[in-house]
Amino acid sequence: MLITLCYLYLWARWGRGPAALVRTTVQQLRASRCSFTFCRATAQPRGARVCLSCGGRVFCVGESQSIDDLNKWALFLVSPFILEAEHIAFVTESIWVQGETLQRPSSSSETIVKWSDCCLPLACRPGDPYQLIAKATVDDFSKLGVAFLEDRLQVANGLIPQKIVSVHLQDSALKELKDQASDTPAQLREPQPESSVESKPELGAMEHVGREDRQALGSAATQGQGGALGGEPAGESNRGVGSVEHCHLHLSSCHECLELENSTIESVKFASAENIPDLPYDYSSGLEGIAYDLCPKREPRRVNLMGKAPNILLYVGSDSQDALGRLQQVRSALADCVDTSCYTLYHLPLESALRDPWPDNCLLVVIAARESVPEDLSRRFMAYLSQGGKVLGLSSPFTLAGFQVTRKAPLQDTVQSLVFCKADWSRVRLSVLISGCVYEGGPGEPLGLGKLQGHLENEDEDRLIVQVPFGTCGGEAVLCQVHLELPPSSPVVQTQEDFNLLKSSNFRRYEVLKEILTTLGLSCDAKHVPALTPLYLLSAAEEIRDPLMQWLGKHVDAEGVIKSSKLSLKFVSSYTSEIEITPSAIPVVTDIETFSSENFNFEIYQQNLQTKKLGKVILFAEVTPTTMNLLDGLMFEMPQEMGLIAIAVHQTQGKGRGRNAWLSPVGCALSTLLVSIPLRSQLGQRIPFVQHLMSLAVVEAVRSIPGYQDINLRVKWPNDIYYSDLMKLGGVLVNSTLMGETFYILIGCGFNVTNSNPTICVNDLITEYNKQHGAELKPLRADYLIARSVTVLEKLIDTFQDEGPSGVLPLYYKYWLHSAQQVRLGSTEGPKVWIVGLDDSGFLLVHQENGEVVTVHPDGNSFDMLRNLIIPKQP
């Protein structure tokens, strides 16, 4: 009766304002230990009183619901488990909806409320429904409830909320949480005396800051929205369901540590944008002098509509010498057509083609095998096409239904006249070297033909090039029996006459190949590789300039050179064109009075670098091979307080994980930062977390700018920066070396800021956000964001050293992509599991269908580290 009277009073006072009604009802009645439920009208709890009804959904008040046993829940052990007086614990129940049936909130994107931004998850119970225990302030709990009632609450990863109900956590449950959170302290293993590890650190998260507990970051005011673990639930736990024990990550002697380190970074890949949602901000520093007043004019670009990594995969069949020679020929021909700063060409071996998740990670597959494609691989190529993939067949027996490859021996390896019809119906005539095979009608349902066609100028008009659209998702193949990959100088060309014919048609050969590649969605606007430029030695703080020059004077040789195993740096007061610059010998100009750059404003960098030591001494280059090598000769010798960083506008030999290339076009924020970490420290015992900290620092650097908190940058485990969950926008590469009691860590980071080509950048997201929301956010600069990222990283490292993983993981989870994400172990047909967080070493924790929580590792494939995950063997 009391509840009803209170409800009537509130209704009379607040009228039809649902937000005010819900908030005031919760504030007034929460002390009575009643339970607040938001659900569909058909699922109203028995005996509960309906306070508000909205579109088939209701807000009810009923008897108290409590939880006293958490044995069946996977706990997020990074969360603070004492419920403050102003917080409410609650359970959210959601169902999985996948594919085309996935429903989005019906309201406009301006009013969407993200579950992750309003609460801090404590535990989860995967299944149907998927249940999450979380805590939130009264205001945030009410905000979630109203958003649910109005169908504008967004969870993540295919989860649709069905019910929100407040619960009372019994003391026994809270004690269990605290006990588990304090279990299994990290142990220190003695390192081998000569340990030297190439590792990929992990990106940590910023100190979790609540709305009511704002703190300063560096010298700038921090205004992080708190309360919410970013991308939904997940937690770092030492023990989950079933008391699963997890190995700690240690030093170079630890196999699991090396596994994670070897499975880190990748080339900076690009993306394409459309939506843009939300998150918190941190700095209050203004944008004066930082944002561009006028956006630079952008070249028209070919949009990567598929949102895939800019990889071109080359399949040549077996590993014979002939096949490997053909691989080089195909690679060389394609590299002459496409901009290799925008696309990466990779060999796709047979074993990898059958096993690895390449279909989701490439724009084009080139099939140049001379032998028949194995049946199981052919099926995989067809599945790739049916999902919208693009295929180029070069003198290969691979074909599609409705066509067959017929051999005509007299034509084999001969020079013939070809008529090629382009997409605009214009024709090109040229002399070509042909394989001796032609395309004819064959078994199966005939497929329609595209505009690209090529036939011989003979009586039969034999078809040598056909464009074949495939499926309903935009897949298409261009099949070709012309040796477009071979130059006129190829050994196959026997006579001078044939050589002359091919040489005279060589320009048109490239014209045909570029037309095919363009039709298949690639850009063939190749750009000139710029010449290398000198380095400039800059200091962000006046007080370290003199000590820096004194240190240099003691450490250079008689010719002013510091040598390392990778390159020589020659320090000079000024640069003249007579000084040679090579990848292994680079001059460093020490007179900063002569420094100027259109792409790097040193003043802006200085103003926004708010660190105690990181990033204070800068080696800057307009064009350099790779920033990862520039600090090699200085990192072990220079005093740590000088904080070295290398920054470049363009890299010609950017490095990625393993053998991967790192694409580095102008417009990327490119840097390599030196960080030293004591071995016997929280982070020193968990070095792979460095990569997580760096990725998080980049995201936080953008989203903590006032007004930019809704620019949808996210963190993808273990080291990628993403636009939403759609496309990669940046990445991190880490190399660490242990000397004595200190880790010396080089953190290479690259993310797209102004470079719209070939796909997407931070400023594209800002432009799209402005268009969708009628905002006037200014575009950002790379120098500004590098300085902010380094500042945030130093704060994250300090927080991690003080509090361990629990100090940074709440913010990391707020920004990450994987909360409640379903993945499969081993293969696409493997057992289904749910990602619930990170373990103490930075590996993924997953919840299996049998209720057990286990740690999983990448399988080593270079395409997607979240695919084919494996459970490590126990020693």
Side-chain angles (χ1 to χ4, degrees):
M1 185 66 183
L2 175 62
I3 291 173
T4 304
L5 290 174
C6 288
Y7 162 69
L8 291 173
Y9 163 75
L10 293 169
W11 181 260
R13 179 173 179 181
W14 295 102
R16 292 182 175 272
L21 172 63
V22 169
R23 184 172 58 254
T24 309
T25 301
V26 173
Q27 286 173 338
Q28 296 293 327
L29 301 182
R30 60 189 298 265
S32 67
R33 290 286 179 90
C34 58
S35 181
F36 307 104
T37 301
F38 301 88
C39 63
R40 299 185 184 277
T42 55
Q44 175 185 338
R46 174 177 290 182
R49 304 288 182 124
V50 176
C51 296
L52 183 64
S53 178
C54 180
R57 302 182 181 206
V58 295
F59 167 47
C60 310
V61 181
E63 295 298 324
S64 174
Q65 304 291 318
S66 62
I67 295 178
D68 57 6
D69 182 6
L70 291 170
N71 286 328
K72 295 181 180 179
W73 295 79
L75 309 178
F76 303 139
L77 299 185
V78 298
S79 306
F81 297 114
I82 299 176
L83 283 177
E84 296 86 348
E86 69 274 14
H87 283 95
I88 291 178
F90 63 96
V91 173
T92 302
E93 293 186 359
S94 303
I95 60 172
W96 297 97
V97 181
Q98 298 179 350
E100 297 177 358
T101 61
L102 179 59
Q103 300 174 5
R104 299 291 182 189
S106 58
S107 302
S108 72
S109 60
E110 292 181 300
T111 59
I112 286 175
V113 173
K114 285 183 172 286
W115 185 92
S116 60
D117 291 342
C118 297
C119 59
L120 184 68
L122 302 175
C124 73
R125 184 157 63 181
D128 196 3
Y130 188 95
Q131 296 177 302
L132 287 156
I133 302 176
K135 71 174 184 177
T137 63
V138 169
D139 284 351
D140 281 339
F141 176 74
S142 303
K143 182 179 178 181
L144 283 172
V146 172
F148 173 83
L149 292 175
E150 297 176 352
D151 194 19
R152 51 188 179 84
L153 177 62
Q154 187 178 84
V155 185
N157 293 313
L159 287 172
I160 301 297
Q162 300 295 299
K163 178 189 289 188
I164 300 173
V165 55
S166 65
V167 296
H168 175 62
L169 292 181
Q170 301 283 11
D171 291 342
S172 58
L174 290 172
K175 182 177 185 301
E176 181 182 349
L177 288 170
K178 286 187 285 186
D179 290 345
Q180 294 198 38
S182 61
D183 272 356
T184 358
Q187 300 172 7
L188 181 65
R189 292 187 187 173
E190 289 297 319
Q192 298 298 323
E194 299 180 0
S195 297
S196 177
V197 187
E198 273 205 1
S199 77
K200 326 267 175 192
E202 315 187 335
L203 310 170
M206 212 170 111
E207 184 177 36
H208 188 61
V209 183
R211 285 189 180 87
E212 296 120 327
D213 183 26
R214 298 178 178 176
Q215 302 177 7
L217 179 57
S219 63
T222 303
Q223 300 180 13
Q225 288 184 14
L229 247 79
E232 269 87 321
E236 179 260 345
S237 86
N238 298 329
R239 289 192 340 203
V241 175
S243 299
V244 179
E245 294 186 3
H246 306 293
C247 299
H248 294 285
L249 200 54
H250 296 287
L251 310 175
S252 57
S253 59
C254 177
H255 171 71
E256 284 147 0
C257 179
L258 290 174
E259 282 262 323
L260 183 57
E261 291 173 345
N262 290 333
S263 61
T264 329
I265 221 40
E266 194 163 349
S267 47
V268 175
K269 305 221 168 74
F270 308 88
S272 92
E274 253 182 74
N275 308 330
I276 327 198
D278 61 305
L279 259 85
Y281 57 88
D282 209 330
Y283 289 89
S284 62
S285 55
L287 294 180
E288 252 180 71
I290 287 114
Y292 291 115
D293 290 329
L294 295 174
C295 292
K297 291 183 180 178
R298 294 174 179 167
E299 302 173 31
R301 65 189 180 100
R302 177 174 296 277
V303 178
N304 173 6
L305 296 174
M306 290 177 288
K308 295 183 178 180
N311 298 329
I312 301 171
L313 304 184
L314 313 178
Y315 174 76
V316 293
S318 66
D319 291 330
S320 66
Q321 287 301 312
D322 178 63
L324 295 178
R326 192 162 57 253
L327 172 67
Q328 295 307 314
Q329 293 164 347
V330 173
R331 188 194 300 271
S332 177
L334 295 179
D336 287 339
C337 294
V338 301
D339 185 354
T340 52
S341 70
C342 295
Y343 302 100
T344 310
L345 307 175
Y346 288 116
H347 179 207
L348 182 64
L350 176 59
E351 183 181 0
S352 180
L354 290 170
R355 180 198 64 203
D356 289 342
W358 58 264
D360 294 336
N361 294 276
C362 71
L363 294 177
L364 175 69
V365 174
V366 179
I367 302 173
R370 296 292 180 263
E371 65 270 23
S372 296
V373 176
E375 187 176 343
D376 49 352
L377 179 55
S378 181
R379 286 196 299 270
R380 201 158 195 213
F381 285 147
M382 301 298 280
Y384 168 67
L385 279 167
S386 67
Q387 295 164 5
K390 311 290 184 180
V391 167
L392 170 59
L394 284 178
S395 303
S396 169
F398 176 80
T399 189
L400 304 177
F403 292 94
Q404 65 181 17
V405 177
T406 302
R407 179 168 297 281
K408 290 192 172 183
L411 296 177
Q412 184 173 351
D413 295 336
T414 61
V415 176
Q416 302 289 333
S417 180
L418 179 80
V419 178
F420 178 71
C421 182
K422 300 171 71 173
D424 62 2
W425 303 109
S426 62
R427 295 190 170 199
V428 178
R429 282 181 170 79
L430 67 159
S431 296
V432 294
L433 181 69
I434 65 175
S435 68
C437 295
V438 300
Y439 294 106
E440 296 180 343
E445 182 73 18
L447 298 171
L449 296 178
K451 294 178 181 178
L452 300 190
Q453 302 291 324
H455 63 83
L456 292 181
E457 278 193 310
N458 61 7
E459 184 178 349
D460 295 328
E461 292 192 346
D462 294 312
R463 282 190 296 190
L464 298 188
I465 300 176
V466 292
Q467 178 190 359
V468 188
F470 190 92
T472 59
C473 297
E476 62 182 329
V478 174
L479 307 177
C480 177
Q481 293 298 332
V482 176
H483 284 299
L484 294 174
E485 78 279 10
L486 296 181
S489 58
S490 170
V492 179
V493 180
Q494 299 294 323
T495 68
Q496 184 69 43
E497 179 184 3
D498 285 345
F499 174 84
N500 292 339
L501 286 170
L502 294 175
K503 193 71 173 176
S504 65
S505 291
N506 202 42
F507 178 82
R508 291 188 290 279
R509 174 174 72 95
Y510 278 109
E511 182 182 357
V512 170
L513 184 52
K514 288 181 179 181
E515 178 74 9
I516 291 172
L517 294 172
T518 301
T519 299
L520 291 172
L522 304 186
S523 171
C524 292
D525 299 327
K527 298 178 181 178
H528 176 67
V529 177
L532 300 179
T533 62
L535 293 167
Y536 283 85
L537 182 64
L538 310 172
S539 54
E542 286 296 325
E543 62 270 18
I544 64 172
R545 183 72 188 178
D546 289 341
L548 172 62
M549 299 309 295
Q550 291 170 11
W551 181 89
L552 278 177
K554 296 176 182 178
H555 287 79
V556 297
D557 63 17
E559 296 180 350
V561 174
I562 292 180
K563 294 182 178 180
S564 73
S565 60
K566 296 178 180 176
L567 82 166
S568 297
L569 299 178
K570 181 178 176 64
F571 291 84
V572 296
S573 59
S574 61
Y575 172 74
T576 62
S577 57
E578 288 77 29
I579 301 177
E580 184 182 14
I581 306 176
T582 70
S584 59
I586 303 176
V588 183
V589 181
T590 58
D591 182 4
I592 61 174
E593 298 299 323
T594 63
F595 173 75
S596 66
S597 170
E598 291 183 7
N599 300 294
F600 182 77
N601 187 313
F602 185 47
E603 245 181 73
I604 288 176
Y605 179 85
Q606 278 182 302
Q607 291 169 1
N608 290 278
L609 184 73
Q610 305 293 326
T611 60
K612 290 172 284 188
K613 65 179 182 180
L614 293 188
K616 296 287 190 181
V617 175
I618 304 101
L619 283 177
F620 172 81
E622 292 284 345
V623 183
T624 197
T626 170
T627 58
M628 289 298 287
N629 291 345
L630 296 181
L631 306 185
D632 190 56
L634 306 172
M635 60 186 291
F636 303 120
E637 304 294 336
M638 188 171 282
Q640 295 179 18
E641 62 270 14
M642 292 189 178
L644 274 173
I645 187 173
I647 298 173
V649 173
H650 184 85
Q651 294 182 134
T652 60
Q653 301 171 18
K655 295 181 178 180
R657 176 170 54 90
R659 297 180 180 178
N660 289 347
W662 185 315
L663 301 179
S664 310
V666 174
C668 257
L670 302 168
S671 64
T672 295
L673 178 69
L674 175 62
V675 177
S676 56
I677 301 293
L679 167 62
R680 299 175 187 277
S681 66
Q682 292 265 23
L683 189 54
Q685 290 299 292
R686 301 171 178 87
I687 284 299
F689 263 98
V690 174
Q691 67 185 349
H692 300 330
L693 296 178
M694 187 68 239
S695 296
L696 181 61
V698 172
V699 173
E700 178 71 2
V702 175
R703 302 192 65 160
S704 60
I705 304 169
Y708 291 71
Q709 59 269 21
D710 292 338
I711 302 303
N712 198 10
L713 288 181
R714 298 278 178 175
V715 173
K716 181 181 178 184
W717 183 89
N719 53 357
D720 289 336
I721 301 150
Y722 259 62
Y723 156 55
S724 184
D725 58 353
L726 300 176
M727 296 177 179
K728 184 171 177 177
L729 189 142
V732 176
L733 171 65
V734 177
N735 292 332
S736 67
T737 305
L738 178 64
M739 292 191 67
E741 292 285 303
T742 303
F743 274 109
Y744 294 87
I745 303 170
L746 292 179
I747 307 174
C749 181
F751 57 99
N752 305 333
V753 179
T754 67
N755 52 309
S756 293
N757 290 318
T759 49
I760 200 169
C761 63
V762 170
N763 283 347
D764 285 340
L765 303 186
I766 294 171
T767 299
E768 184 68 15
Y769 180 84
N770 287 340
K771 183 170 67 176
Q772 295 293 328
H773 297 269
E776 296 182 352
L777 299 180
K778 293 183 178 180
L780 302 176
R781 297 178 56 103
D783 39 27
Y784 169 64
L785 289 181
I786 291 173
R788 285 179 64 85
S789 298
V790 174
T791 302
V792 175
L793 176 65
E794 186 175 84
K795 183 66 176 180
L796 293 175
I797 290 174
D798 290 346
T799 300
F800 196 103
Q801 295 290 47
D802 291 341
E803 304 176 30
S806 63
V808 297
L809 280 175
L811 187 61
Y812 183 77
Y813 291 141
K814 185 170 187 63
Y815 288 132
W816 86 331
L817 297 175
H818 312 298
S819 296
Q821 182 179 349
Q822 290 178 325
V823 294
R824 290 187 180 273
L825 300 182
S827 70
T828 55
E829 304 300 322
K832 183 169 62 177
V833 296
W834 292 266
I835 296 175
V836 296
L838 301 184
D839 68 8
D840 190 58
S841 302
F843 288 99
L844 287 178
L845 283 173
V846 298
H847 192 287
Q848 299 185 103
E849 290 184 319
N850 64 5
E852 186 179 9
V853 173
V854 296
T855 293
V856 292
H857 294 193
D859 72 340
N861 82 79
S862 61
F863 294 100
D864 187 343
M865 293 174 63
L866 284 172
R867 301 287 289 274
N868 303 351
L869 293 166
I870 57 175
I871 299 176
K873 293 181 179 179
Q874 298 299 319

